[in-house]
Amino acid sequence: WQMGMEEFVFLMGYRDEIPQILGDLDVFVLPSYANEGVPQALLQALAMARPVVATRVGGIPEVVTSGVHGILCEPQQPEALAGAILRVLEHPARAREMALAGRQRVIELYSLDRMVERLEEVYYRMLGSRAESDDSHPAIDKVETSRAAPLQV
């Protein structure tokens, strides 16, 4: 707290009320520097239509296109990160556009419905390829993939 940031930065520890907390944020910042997959916290912030500033590491660029769904910076560049945060705060209309685009991206690519659709596609492909092979499984052979009902969620 040597920088006088205690009014602006909160280290909150474990919390259960994530949607409420995300809803109160002016900007969601994810300053990762290495080894990120697709961070759930990032997907949650985007799903809540929060403006996002993150670093260009791991799977983050797969989710956020800089300037479209949020702003990406190089890792371990605090000046660039601070500048991106200021741009979001100083241009709320543009930040809102990116936040809404980010929400739409999460709905289209990472929602539960989309994940179930992808899983169904894998199963149907597997069923189709198994039925054509010589070593097919008897239980799978009984399923007609063209008539299989979609999974219900």
Side-chain angles (χ1 to χ4, degrees), residues 31-110:
S32 300
Y33 60 90
N35 301 325
E36 283 285 357
V38 174
Q40 291 301 301
L42 176 65
L43 295 177
Q44 291 168 356
L46 290 168
M48 294 285 299
R50 304 322 308 152
V52 167
V53 173
T55 48
R56 192 176 278 111
V57 297
I60 295 171
E62 294 174 27
V63 178
V64 176
T65 301
S66 194
V68 178
H69 311 107
I71 299 176
L72 296 181
C73 305
E74 295 305 317
Q76 299 182 335
Q77 301 291 321
E79 296 84 11
L81 189 70
I85 294 167
L86 284 174
R87 281 195 304 280
V88 166
L89 296 174
E90 291 172 349
H91 303 283
R94 179 67 185 120
R96 183 76 181 142
E97 288 173 12
M98 289 188 291
L100 293 173
R103 176 176 167 74
Q104 189 60 39
R105 183 167 180 83
V106 167
I107 290 168
E108 290 172 2
L109 298 178
Y110 299 98

Side-chain angles (χ1 to χ4, degrees), residues 3-152:
M3 301 176 74
M5 298 291 291
E6 58 272 2
E7 268 187 67
F8 309 102
V9 177
F10 304 96
L11 303 176
M12 301 172 70
Y14 178 82
R15 303 298 288 258
D16 286 321
E17 64 280 4
I18 302 306
Q20 295 84 359
I21 293 169
L22 288 173
D24 288 340
L25 297 179
D26 295 320
V27 60
F28 175 85
V29 181
L30 187 64
S32 300
Y33 60 90
N35 301 325
E36 283 285 357
V38 174
Q40 291 301 301
L42 176 65
L43 295 177
Q44 291 168 356
L46 290 168
M48 294 285 299
R50 304 322 308 152
V52 167
V53 173
T55 48
R56 192 176 278 111
V57 297
I60 295 171
E62 294 174 27
V63 178
V64 176
T65 301
S66 194
V68 178
H69 311 107
I71 299 176
L72 296 181
C73 305
E74 295 305 317
Q76 299 182 335
Q77 301 291 321
E79 296 84 11
L81 189 70
I85 294 167
L86 284 174
R87 281 195 304 280
V88 166
L89 296 174
E90 291 172 349
H91 303 283
R94 179 67 185 120
R96 183 76 181 142
E97 288 173 12
M98 289 188 291
L100 293 173
R103 176 176 167 74
Q104 189 60 39
R105 183 167 180 83
V106 167
I107 290 168
E108 290 172 2
L109 298 178
Y110 299 98
S111 68
L112 180 59
D113 288 342
R114 183 62 183 127
M115 296 301 213
V116 169
E117 285 174 14
R118 283 200 200 130
L119 187 57
E120 283 180 327
E121 290 168 6
V122 169
Y123 286 148
Y124 288 134
R125 277 197 309 273
M126 294 296 292
L127 289 170
S129 66
R130 281 280 216 174
E132 296 168 6
S133 70
D134 293 337
D135 61 339
S136 60
H137 189 280
I140 294 175
D141 290 342
K142 293 179 184 177
V143 177
E144 293 181 41
T145 58
S146 62
R147 300 175 100 192
L151 294 174
Q152 298 297 315

